[in-house]
Amino acid sequence: GSRVAASGVPLAHMRVPPAPLTARSAAIAPLTAWLLANGARLDGVKASWLGHGMGVGVVATRDLPKGHVAATVPRALLLTVDSAAHDDPQLGALLEVLSAEGVLQDEHNGYDESTGVLALQLLAAAAAQQRGDVSRFGPYVRTLPSSVDTPLLWPRVLRET
């Protein structure tokens, strides 16, 4: 029989429509090249522009069997608490001060320190990009939306209602 998605729609009928070329969608090829050049592996998937409401995502290029490893990304390409301090000594020093002051966590809204570190690391990479500086995460940052509306960013009171 035909394979179906959780929605019940046959996979053969689920196609991502072509999107208009935008700065974000034009950044997909450099992102993919950066990932592959730095040891990532993609097998049966590709980065694709999913539209203005969704941005860049990963889509299957063929039917994938259950348990198939479609992508691997080396730790060196991940934004982590460790990479934030290692990549940028100034950011690392700032993070130490902010951590000691408890500024990086927001218990009221349920965000731990790693969320604050990631946010600052993304801001630093985006700022470097805007200044025209080389950033290790530049190919990734260029694919990020300029704004998002996601429940993850809503205050806890709204997320729990």
Side-chain angles (χ1 to χ4, degrees), residues 6 53 126 147:
S147 65

Side-chain angles (χ1 to χ4, degrees), residues 13 56 121:
H13 297 284
V56 176
Q121 191 176 18

Side-chain angles (χ1 to χ4, degrees), residues 22-39:
T22 67
R24 304 269 185 254
S25 61
I28 293 171
L31 171 67
T32 302
W34 173 73
L35 287 167
L36 296 174
N38 287 284

Side-chain angles (χ1 to χ4, degrees), residues 28-124:
I28 293 171
L31 171 67
T32 302
W34 173 73
L35 287 167
L36 296 174
N38 287 284
R41 289 186 48 244
L42 304 175
D43 183 18
V45 295
K46 68 176 183 172
S48 184
W49 177 249
L50 303 178
H52 290 290
M54 297 176 68
V56 176
V58 176
V59 296
T61 58
R62 59 183 164 81
D63 284 347
L64 302 173
K66 183 177 181 176
H68 177 78
V69 177
T72 57
V73 179
R75 188 162 183 75
L77 296 183
L78 302 179
L79 291 163
T80 66
V81 173
D82 293 335
S83 69
H86 179 266
D87 286 354
D88 183 340
Q90 288 180 319
L91 180 59
L94 175 62
L95 291 172
E96 280 185 38
V97 171
L98 294 176
S99 177
E101 296 291 325
V103 174
L104 295 175
Q105 54 194 357
D106 182 354
E107 291 177 19
H108 176 72
N109 284 311
Y111 301 122
D112 64 12
E113 187 169 312
S114 63
T115 304
V117 170
L118 176 61
L120 284 175
Q121 191 176 18
L122 277 172
L123 284 172

